[in-house]
Amino acid sequence: MLGERRRFEQWVRRYHGDLYRHAYWLMGDPTLAEELVQETFYRAWRGRRGLRRRDEPFPWLLGILRHACFAELGRRGRQAAPLPEEPVEDASPELVDLQRALARLDPGQRDILLLHALHGMSYAEISEQLEIPLGTVMSRLSRARAALRRLWDAPDDTVIPFPGRRRR
Amino acid sequence: MSEEQRLRQLLSAPRPSADLERRILEGLPPARSWRHWWGIAASVALMLAVFWPTLGDPLAPFIAHAHAEQGLEGRLAESPRMAGVVLVKHCRVAGRPYLHLRWSTPAGPLDAFYAPELPALPPRGEHGGRAWTVAGLPEGAVLAIHPPGIDPLPWIRKINLKEDT
């Protein structure tokens, strides 16, 4: 029991930073991001017996966090998260522009970009995390990159539609 | 620096508050230690020790009926609701008569003492068998046990029918 607690504490130390960054970029609010990370670990501790792969808990923790983030976004009517108030520390002007572009990206596109670029997940791992086919992962990631590229060069009020809502 | 690298550099930049880790750990519900489970085990053991005289004596809620014929044990074992019990001895405790009963269990022989104010078998002739009062049973007699509320007569009739045939 106490060994289990110690192992969980190691997970907190090891993963809270990455989970925070995911929540930060998804929600655009540092305080809310910290609350969601806290909630994630609380839920994970309560449901730890459901974890199958104890040697690799990160995808499971990330799944809990993403669920909490999208539930929060759902309460807000799935609106794009607001731009973070302050640019990240020591950011060059180029990175500030990138941050602004990222903040204007749809949360769904931002999410898949985070999985790939921040966590270094492979297509297969993203497919497992999002529970979508591999081909869909590739196409969504490609669209998200293209959208980010367009926003990077576009004026601040440009809004890129969410890829799930296709116009026919 | 490629676009991918710039993106990774940007995404990795935000840092949580220094005390986030502490707040997460403090917010977790306490772990249940071995001490907790040992406490539960000790409570259960204590309850068993207190109530064992009732729990450990499966004959307590039963009414004993006597059949004085020897050698019926095999036939008694045919019915799972009945048990072959041997009357070991008549004895007295504080001047009151008791029956010392013993029956076999997988864990070994089990003894119990019962006051002999128990119903006797029906009178002779009613079911074609012999009637005995419990107090008058010979030592070494095999007894049949019936749950309370269940009429023992059908069973007695069955035994006697077998005997008749």
Side-chain angles (χ1 to χ4, degrees):
Chain A
M1 299 292 163
L2 291 177
E4 191 177 30
R5 176 79 176 202
R6 272 194 285 272
R7 181 168 53 190
F8 196 85
E9 287 174 4
Q10 284 175 355
W11 294 352
V12 172
R13 283 188 201 100
R14 187 169 172 190
Y15 299 121
H16 80 282
D18 280 338
L19 292 174
Y20 167 78
R21 281 181 275 281
H22 197 103
Y24 174 89
W25 288 116
L26 210 51
M27 308 305 295
D29 180 344
T31 308
L32 180 59
E34 292 196 349
E35 284 175 11
L36 287 167
V37 172
Q38 277 185 277
E39 184 184 332
T40 296
F41 279 110
Y42 181 84
R43 286 188 189 179
W45 174 252
R46 297 290 297 267
R48 64 194 181 280
R49 301 200 192 288
L51 174 62
R52 289 179 186 173
R53 297 189 60 185
R54 287 175 184 268
D55 56 327
E56 201 178 334
F58 184 70
W60 177 65
L61 292 168
L62 187 60
I64 298 172
L65 176 82
R66 291 180 53 256
H67 182 81
C69 287
F70 280 99
E72 180 63 30
L73 286 170
R75 281 191 283 274
R76 299 175 177 187
R78 202 182 169 84
Q79 290 174 355
L83 189 73
E85 291 173 10
E86 298 292 331
V88 295
E89 283 182 30
D90 304 326
S92 63
E94 190 182 30
L95 286 186
V96 171
D97 286 344
L98 181 58
Q99 180 180 351
R100 285 180 181 153
L102 193 67
R104 280 182 291 141
L105 209 58
D106 181 275
Q109 290 181 322
R110 218 181 304 167
D111 185 41
I112 200 165
L113 272 177
L114 288 168
L115 294 175
H116 187 66
L118 174 62
H119 306 303
M121 284 185 165
S122 66
Y123 292 155
E125 287 168 333
I126 296 172
S127 165
E128 199 173 329
Q129 176 71 220
L130 300 182
E131 297 177 341
I132 54 175
L134 206 62
T136 311
V137 171
M138 292 184 202
S139 59
R140 280 196 192 174
L141 200 52
S142 170
R143 277 201 294 270
R145 281 190 188 121
L148 181 67
R149 211 168 291 127
R150 280 201 303 277
L151 280 168
W152 202 348
D153 300 323
D156 282 358
D157 57 349
T158 307
V159 175
I160 302 295
F162 183 59
R165 299 171 194 157
R166 283 186 185 171
R167 295 189 184 100
R168 293 186 180 182
Chain B
M1 191 185 286
S2 71
E3 183 187 304
E4 196 80 17
Q5 286 171 324
R6 278 198 296 267
L7 185 60
R8 184 161 292 139
Q9 186 188 358
L10 174 73
L11 295 177
S12 306
R15 295 275 182 272
S17 307
D19 65 341
L20 177 61
E21 182 186 318
R22 180 185 55 77
R23 280 186 283 135
I24 292 169
L25 293 175
E26 284 178 357
L28 296 179
R32 292 200 169 112
S33 65
W34 286 114
R35 193 177 295 174
H36 169 86
W37 297 112
W38 276 116
I40 290 176
S43 303
V44 171
L46 183 65
M47 286 178 68
L48 280 175
V50 169
F51 294 106
W52 183 250
T54 310
L55 297 174
D57 183 359
L59 275 187
F62 283 53
I63 299 169
H65 279 273
H67 201 296
E69 266 186 274
Q70 301 286 348
L72 284 179
E73 204 164 3
R75 271 182 279 178
L76 293 171
E78 288 173 7
S79 171
R81 307 202 70 165
M82 303 167 187
V85 181
V86 175
L87 170 60
V88 176
K89 199 176 181 181
H90 289 277
C91 53
R92 283 184 174 274
V93 179
R96 193 177 173 200
Y98 277 83
L99 301 176
H100 177 187
L101 303 177
R102 173 175 293 164
W103 66 101
S104 299
T105 71
L110 200 58
D111 290 75
F113 292 86
Y114 285 87
E117 294 107 41
L118 300 166
L121 282 176
R124 181 194 298 268
E126 188 175 333
H127 298 286
R130 286 173 292 175
W132 300 82
T133 59
V134 177
L137 286 171
E139 290 176 0
V142 179
L143 310 181
I145 310 301
H146 298 265
I150 294 179
D151 184 2
L153 296 184
W155 174 77
I156 294 165
R157 189 192 305 274
K158 183 182 168 190
I159 293 292
N160 290 330
L161 281 175
K162 276 188 179 176
E163 285 172 358
D164 290 344
T165 55

